[in-house]
């Protein structure tokens, strides 16, 4: 641990030298820099960690991990970067693939699937937008902020699930990218495609926050152009089929199950949200941060998923399209772009490389989950964890490409319900116990004895798992409530039940916990 007085770590509000008032008070704000760690302190001393940090600093690699950002270093006042960050991360082939699930997997019509995509995405991204506003206010990463909901020790469980999500989805995404490269040129083996995409992702995330934002600021543009070309080619082909909407129990079950897939993808960024706004000034407008995040998410999610839905409708009357989808999403896209010849192949390369933008948030944010696990993991520099995380997901993806890609994806969908539980507990704590932002004491974010004990949160998390199990309808398991909805494979209500069970149980348990522990 750093000597806070020796290295200038703030233990109270930053005071204005002339007025003697807390910095920002003159502007109606209150910039309490308690526990903030100045950037220059990471390279102090002669320890191995300090030497590594000094070496990294020479190349402008971000040295900061889970330490709080002082107000003086929150200089990223460009709010539209918040929007482009999520615009690039979702203007990707993975989002296209979500929309393409509607017809072959869930047997939906065009209009009902279209409406599901629109409304469920709005619902799914609201928590991401909301928690993005916490970054400028507190200068803390999302997993560190989660200590205020789950306690100092309880958050380690959340961090564990977040690590699984980051590494697991990175593996699934990179396999999709490698499949597209293989569809272009069969001489490019899966392992080579995985290494190409993973290496590029590592290079971007290695340098940290500024480079991640800079890359995402531009990378969505070529992807958007290619998706427009896909749209144009598909319209020109005349193969769109306006599949009629279903009805009855079967339709209800299919809509709910497709909605679960759409919601899980959209809300999946919640556990990273504040990581990408921590360098925004404290006086950044919460409304503007929320709206920029909303705009950056809703447009690419709806556009790519609706495009995927439209393209896959051709599978009803065209066996070649159906066969392409059954092989992998890359073959489906290759079919649509095949009339363009080599230019179409170039477009596919762009879409394959879109996975870089998709995986950057996963690999950048996994480091903070690893750092909150323990004191020794917190000492390991962020960029080293980035390298280790990259090696791990490559080690999963390379054998997974040929042997268990579908199993891996099914597993990731199965554990995805944890996000609804996370949101149920966090939002209940924020609105009913903290009663908004003034209820957070920023001075205690590293103090286990003053943070919530976390007992109520962990027990409520277990209740949330119960709700998810009762309501899920997955390949591996259909819950007793999920079975009652629809026909055949049931209807997935795991997300709303997980949220409801965790939120209600937490409200009751936290009342008892707070009354007993007084914190």
């Amino acid at each position: 641990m750093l000597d806070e007085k020796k290295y200038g770590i703030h233990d109270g509000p930053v005071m204005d030298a002339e007025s003697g008032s807390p910095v920002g008070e003159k502007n109606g704000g209150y910039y309490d820099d308690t526990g903030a760690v100045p950037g220059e302190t990471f390279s102090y001393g002669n320890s191995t960690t300090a030497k590594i940090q000094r070496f990294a600093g020479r190349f402008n690699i971000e040295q900061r991990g889970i330490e709080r950002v002082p107000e003086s270093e929150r200089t990223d006042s460009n709010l539209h970067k918040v929007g482009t960050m999520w615009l690039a991360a979702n203007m990707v082939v993975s989002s296209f693939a979500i929309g393409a699930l509607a017809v072959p997997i869930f047997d939906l019509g065009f209009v009902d699937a279209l409406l599901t995509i629109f409304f469920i995405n709005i619902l799914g991204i609201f928590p991401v937008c909301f928690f993005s506003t916490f970054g400028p206010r507190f200068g803390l990463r999302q997993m560190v902020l989660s200590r205020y909901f789950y306690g100092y020790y309880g958050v380690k469980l959340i961090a564990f699930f977040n690590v699984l999500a980051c590494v697991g989805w990175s593996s699934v995404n990179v396999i999709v990218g490698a499949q597209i490269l293989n569809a272009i040129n069969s001489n490019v083996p899966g392992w080579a495609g995985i290494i190409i995409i993973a290496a590029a992702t590592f290079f971007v995330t290695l340098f940290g926050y500024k480079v991640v934002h800079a890359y995402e600021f531009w990378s969505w543009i070529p992807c958007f152009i290619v998706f427009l070309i896909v749209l144009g080619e598909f319209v020109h082909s005349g193969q769109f089929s306006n599949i009629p909407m279903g009805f009855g129990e079967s339709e209800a079950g299919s809509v709910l199950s497709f909605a679960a897939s759409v919601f899980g993808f959209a809300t999946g960024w919640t556990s990273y949200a504040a990581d990408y706004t921590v360098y925004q000034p404290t006086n950044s407008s919460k409304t503007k941060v929320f709206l920029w995040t909303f705009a950056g998410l809703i447009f690419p999610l709806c556009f790519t998923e609706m495009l995927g839905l439209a393209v896959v409708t051709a599978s009803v009357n065209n066996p070649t399209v159906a066969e392409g989808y059954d092989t992998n999403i890359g073959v489906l896209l290759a079919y649509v772009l095949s009339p363009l010849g080599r230019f179409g192949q170039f477009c596919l390369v762009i879409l394959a490389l879109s996975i870089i933008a998709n995986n950057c948030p996963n690999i950048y944010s996994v480091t903070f989950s690893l750092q909150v696990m323990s004191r020794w993991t917190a000492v390991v520099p962020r960029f080293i964890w980035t390298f280790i995380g990259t090696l791990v997901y490559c080690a999963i993806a390379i054998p997974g490409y040929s042997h268990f890609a579908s199993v891996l994806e099914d597993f990731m969908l199965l554990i995805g319900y944890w996000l609804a539980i996370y949101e149920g507990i966090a939002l209940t704590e924020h609105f009913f116990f903290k009663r908004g932002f003034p209820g957070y004491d920023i001075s205690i974010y590293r103090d286990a004895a003053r943070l919530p004990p976390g007992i109520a949160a962990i027990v409520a998390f277990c209740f949330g798992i119960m709700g998810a199990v009762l309501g899920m309808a997955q390949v591996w398991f259909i819950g007793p409530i999920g079975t009652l909805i629809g026909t055949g494979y049931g209807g997935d209500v795991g997300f709303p039940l997980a949220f409801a069970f965790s939120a209600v149980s937490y409200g009751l348990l936290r009342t008892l916990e707070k009354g007993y522990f007084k914190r």
Side-chain angles (χ1 to χ4, degrees):
M1 296 293 288
L2 290 170
D3 184 323
E4 298 188 2
K5 292 183 178 179
K6 180 179 179 181
Y7 294 129
I9 299 175
H10 304 297
D11 57 1
V14 178
M15 308 304 288
D16 185 282
E18 296 181 2
S19 67
S21 301
V23 174
E25 195 173 71
K26 291 181 288 186
N27 297 322
Y30 183 69
Y31 304 158
D32 184 351
D33 262 353
T34 301
V37 182
E40 64 269 15
T41 62
F42 294 110
S43 57
Y44 286 176
N46 293 312
S47 65
T48 302
T49 300
K51 292 176 181 178
I52 295 172
Q53 291 278 30
R54 279 198 293 274
F55 179 76
R58 295 175 189 172
F59 301 95
N60 293 319
I61 293 173
E62 183 187 12
Q63 298 163 299
R64 185 179 302 281
I66 58 173
E67 301 83 7
R68 189 180 181 217
V69 185
E71 179 61 29
S72 61
E73 296 180 30
R74 297 191 216 171
T75 57
D76 185 16
S77 57
N78 197 340
L79 280 174
H80 64 260
K81 283 185 180 179
V82 179
T84 55
M85 171 71 210
W86 299 116
L87 176 57
N90 292 281
M91 187 66 71
V92 294
V93 71
S94 301
S95 306
F96 178 92
I98 291 292
L101 294 172
V103 176
I105 303 299
F106 298 107
D107 198 27
L108 291 174
F110 179 72
V111 173
D112 46 344
L114 196 77
L115 293 173
T116 301
I117 288 171
F118 180 72
F119 288 108
I120 297 301
N121 270 312
I122 291 176
L123 185 64
I125 66 176
F126 256 84
V128 189
C129 302
F130 178 68
F131 286 114
S132 291
T133 66
F134 282 56
R137 178 63 184 250
F138 301 115
L140 290 172
R141 310 288 186 174
Q142 188 68 41
M143 281 297 107
V144 181
L145 284 167
S146 299
R147 290 173 176 171
Y148 288 91
F149 316 133
Y150 290 87
Y152 188 88
Y153 298 105
V155 79
K156 300 178 192 299
L157 173 65
I158 303 306
F160 172 75
F161 274 95
N162 205 38
V163 169
L164 286 181
C166 291
V167 173
W169 282 117
S170 293
S171 303
V172 171
N173 294 338
V174 80
I175 287 173
V176 171
Q179 287 173 338
I180 295 176
L181 293 176
N182 183 258
I184 301 166
N185 185 347
S186 59
N187 292 322
V188 179
W191 63 265
I194 288 168
I195 290 174
I196 290 168
I197 296 170
T201 306
F202 169 70
F203 182 78
V204 174
T205 54
L206 169 67
F207 289 91
Y209 181 95
K210 290 183 179 179
V211 175
V212 169
H213 269 284
Y215 178 80
E216 305 284 43
F217 186 83
W218 298 105
S219 66
W220 67 273
I221 299 174
C223 297
F224 180 51
I225 292 171
V226 171
F227 278 126
L228 287 176
I229 293 171
V230 171
L231 175 61
E233 280 299 306
F234 183 69
V235 170
H236 184 261
S237 72
Q239 296 192 54
F240 170 74
S241 177
N242 188 5
I243 303 170
M245 184 186 302
F247 57 89
E249 292 185 15
S250 178
E251 170 73 2
S254 296
V255 167
L256 287 170
S257 294
F258 179 55
S261 298
V262 173
F263 180 87
F265 190 87
T267 208
W269 307 113
T270 300
S271 55
Y272 319 160
D275 297 352
Y276 301 96
T277 55
V278 290
Y279 287 95
Q280 293 282 338
T282 303
N283 61 357
S284 299
S285 166
K286 289 194 291 292
T287 301
K288 289 181 179 179
V289 171
F290 185 99
L291 291 177
W292 272 110
T293 306
F294 183 86
L297 285 164
I298 195 64
F299 172 65
L301 286 170
C302 285
F303 173 71
T304 54
E305 289 174 13
M306 289 177 181
L307 179 60
L309 164 65
V311 170
V312 85
T313 60
S315 64
V316 175
N317 299 314
N318 189 329
T320 304
V321 175
E323 183 180 345
Y325 179 83
D326 289 340
T327 304
N328 61 64
I329 203 71
V331 174
L332 176 62
L333 286 164
Y335 172 79
V336 176
L337 295 170
S338 59
L340 299 178
R342 290 192 176 275
F343 179 70
Q345 293 180 337
F346 173 75
C347 291
L348 284 172
V349 171
I350 298 296
L351 291 182
L353 296 180
S354 73
I355 298 298
I356 299 170
N358 195 201
N359 272 356
C360 276
N362 293 329
I363 299 306
Y364 179 70
S365 289
V366 71
T367 60
F368 310 125
S369 293
L370 289 164
Q371 285 187 325
V372 301
M373 288 287 194
S374 69
R375 291 183 181 275
W376 75 265
T377 57
V379 174
V380 178
R382 176 202 63 80
F383 44 86
I384 291 180
W385 281 126
T386 299
F387 179 65
I388 294 172
T390 300
L391 292 180
V392 171
Y393 86 78
C394 283
I396 296 170
I398 290 174
Y401 180 91
S402 302
H403 298 98
F404 54 87
S406 60
V407 174
L408 178 61
E409 186 168 359
D410 290 340
F411 174 73
M412 294 310 303
L413 291 171
L414 189 66
I415 69 167
Y417 299 99
W418 82 273
L419 286 161
I421 302 173
Y422 175 85
E423 293 163 3
I425 293 170
L427 293 173
T428 302
E429 175 68 27
H430 177 82
F431 287 108
F432 293 99
F433 296 98
K434 293 288 191 290
R435 298 187 182 278
F437 289 102
Y440 292 80
D441 181 355
I442 199 62
S443 68
I444 67 171
Y445 82 91
R446 295 176 298 178
D447 190 343
R450 296 172 65 194
L451 286 163
I455 300 170
I458 297 303
V459 176
F461 193 92
C462 294
F463 275 103
I465 292 174
M466 182 190 305
V469 170
L470 289 172
M472 69 172 58
Q474 294 289 336
V475 173
W476 292 356
F477 180 77
I478 303 176
I481 295 178
T483 306
L484 299 175
I485 303 169
T487 59
Y489 293 103
D492 197 324
V493 289
F495 278 104
L497 288 183
F499 183 93
F501 275 48
S502 59
V504 173
S505 60
Y506 181 74
L508 297 173
L509 293 167
R510 179 68 173 131
T511 301
L512 297 174
E513 179 185 69
K514 196 169 185 179
Y516 184 80
F517 290 98
K518 309 300 180 185
R519 56 187 171 102

